[in-house]
Every structure is written in structure tokens, then in C-alpha cells.
Amino acid sequence: NAGVTQTPKFRILKIGQSMTLQCTQDMNHNYMYWYRQDPGMGLKLIYYSVGAGITDKGEVPNGYNVSRSTTEDFPLRLELAAPSQTSVYFCASSYLDRGWTSGANVLTFGAGSRLTVL
Amino acid sequence: KQEVTQIPAALSVPEGENLVLNCSFTDSAIYNLQWFRQDPGKGLTSLLLIQSSQREQTSGRLNASLDKSSGRSTLYIAASQPGDSATYLCAVNLEGGGSEKLVFGKGTKLTVNP
């Protein structure tokens, strides 16, 4: 069981280039998320999805796009990369644990993708 | 705007010591609170989740408490071990029903010395 797999692990981009960070999960989770973590900071939510065909903006969506054509995959697209997008990107997925009184999503994170924009 | 603060930013203790990590949040209208562990170069691992209606959760040597009215949570680690060395992150969930809009603190970097 691979869990949440992110590729690539490392990437260097030049300003203005574009790229896609891939994320796939094999746990049949409905919910998927993209976070970024800047040095010495907590994670911030970029985009999330509650199911195939449904996406929504998080706290810091500018400069990014996502799609969710399948349950398994949730790619994050960077258009016109900028130095401010230098960060570590984490993909996560979750399911609704109905064992909790009001339900609770238990998140599984990928190992992260470190992106540098020069 | 919800803000999450973790104190201290770093902590170094000898093996076997009991320790407490602190987390505070500015808006008590949260759905739940989670504690995560982050190892260098790796993703986050969920440790404990406390619903807003609960006071504490326990898992092995870990105990997390929640005082929603005062905007505080603590993570207690008993009999610390070198393998506990990691960064511990606290996150509050602003919404329920399936969309986890988590607001994270900056974390506490814990080092347990043999």
C-alpha cells in the first residue's frame, strides 16, 4: 500500500516556466489537498477537492491551478513560476471517519516536493 | 483571522524526561484540533485528533488536551525517547463535514538526547 505518492521530489525552475506536481493516492480517499510549507513556517492550504470533478480554493491559491478527473489523482499546476513559489509542497488525502461523533477526516500526507524557482 | 502559535519553537531534553508542547489559537470556533509529527525530509504523520467537544485524547505515551474556551492545547509526551525527535505541528480545523481547512502552527522542534 503506497499511500500518497508525490513526484518529483525535487525540482528547480526558472522564472516564468511552468510545471505540474503530481499526486496520486491508492486508498480510495474522496478528499485531497495541496499545502505549501515555507521555511520555518506552518503549512498553508492551496487547493482542496472533496471528490472527482470538484475543486475549491484554499488560503493561498494565486499562481496555481488544480484538476481532479479521477479519485486517485490531484495534480497541481504552476503557471509562470515566480521566486515566491519556492517552497515544499505537500499533497494529502483523507477519508471521513464515521467512528467519531461528528465525523473526522484523518489525513495522510505525501513525502513532499521541494521546488526552487530561480 | 485564525492564528495558531506554538511555544517553544525548539526544545532539547534528555532521554526519559516527560515534556509538554504548547499550542494556542486565537478563535475558539474550531471543529477539531490535530497534532502532527514531521520528520526531516518527510511528510506529516497524524498523531492525535481532538474534537471540539472533547477534552483530551491519548495514544500510547502521548496525551493531547484541549481547552477550547481559552484557545489552548497541550501535547504531553511521557518518558521521551531519542526516536521522538522530530518537529511537532498543531493544526486547528475551521470546518467540518469533510473539508479539512487546517490552520497550522509553525511547529516545535524536539530533540531528545540519549
Side-chain angles (χ1 to χ4, degrees):
Chain A
N1 192 341
V4 177
T5 302
Q6 292 183 233
T7 57
K9 293 190 185 309
F10 303 94
R11 183 73 185 268
I12 298 175
L13 283 180
K14 293 182 179 179
I15 294 172
Q17 287 185 320
S18 60
M19 74 160 296
T20 299
L21 299 178
Q22 301 291 345
C23 176
T24 186
Q25 53 94 6
D26 61 0
M27 298 171 285
N28 201 33
H29 287 174
N30 283 335
Y31 310 105
M32 295 188 74
Y33 317 84
W34 275 104
Y35 288 89
R36 60 176 287 174
Q37 184 178 33
D38 298 329
M41 305 293 286
L43 280 71
K44 293 191 176 181
L45 182 64
I46 305 172
Y47 271 96
Y48 67 100
S49 169
V50 300
I54 306 170
T55 62
D56 209 345
K57 296 178 180 180
E59 183 182 358
V60 290
N62 291 344
Y64 307 94
N65 279 300
V66 294
S67 60
R68 186 91 183 274
S69 57
T70 67
T71 299
E72 296 77 18
D73 301 306
F74 191 41
L76 177 71
R77 177 94 178 150
L78 282 73
E79 304 283 1
L80 299 175
S84 61
Q85 294 179 303
T86 294
S87 190
V88 180
Y89 292 83
F90 290 99
C91 178
S93 69
S94 70
Y95 65 95
L96 188 61
D97 185 347
R98 299 194 181 278
W100 292 93
T101 302
S102 302
N105 278 22
V106 181
L107 276 74
T108 300
F109 280 83
S113 297
R114 184 177 295 274
L115 176 66
T116 302
V117 182
L118 301 175
Chain B
K1 180 182 177 182
Q2 179 75 266
E3 292 184 0
V4 178
T5 303
Q6 292 188 245
I7 295 173
L11 181 64
S12 181
V13 301
E15 181 177 4
E17 190 164 299
N18 302 325
L19 60 100
V20 175
L21 306 180
N22 297 293
C23 171
S24 61
F25 46 96
T26 54
D27 187 344
S28 62
I30 64 170
Y31 190 71
N32 58 47
L33 182 146
Q34 297 189 48
W35 283 93
F36 294 87
R37 169 184 174 138
Q38 185 175 25
D39 293 286
K42 297 188 177 181
L44 281 68
T45 301
S46 180
L47 297 174
L48 289 165
L49 183 152
I50 311 177
Q51 295 283 37
S52 61
S53 59
Q54 298 176 315
R55 297 285 293 182
E56 65 178 331
Q57 282 289 324
T58 298
S59 176
R61 294 182 294 108
L62 305 179
N63 176 278
S65 69
L66 175 63
D67 185 343
K68 202 175 78 160
S69 61
S70 67
R72 303 173 81 168
S73 176
T74 62
L75 178 65
Y76 175 83
I77 302 177
S80 59
Q81 303 171 358
D84 294 330
S85 297
T87 296
Y88 291 81
L89 294 159
C90 163
V92 297
N93 184 16
L94 306 182
E95 291 188 14
S99 60
E100 297 296 275
K101 291 188 176 179
L102 299 178
V103 178
F104 282 82
K106 295 180 181 181
T108 294
K109 184 176 182 179
L110 173 66
T111 302
V112 181
N113 301 301

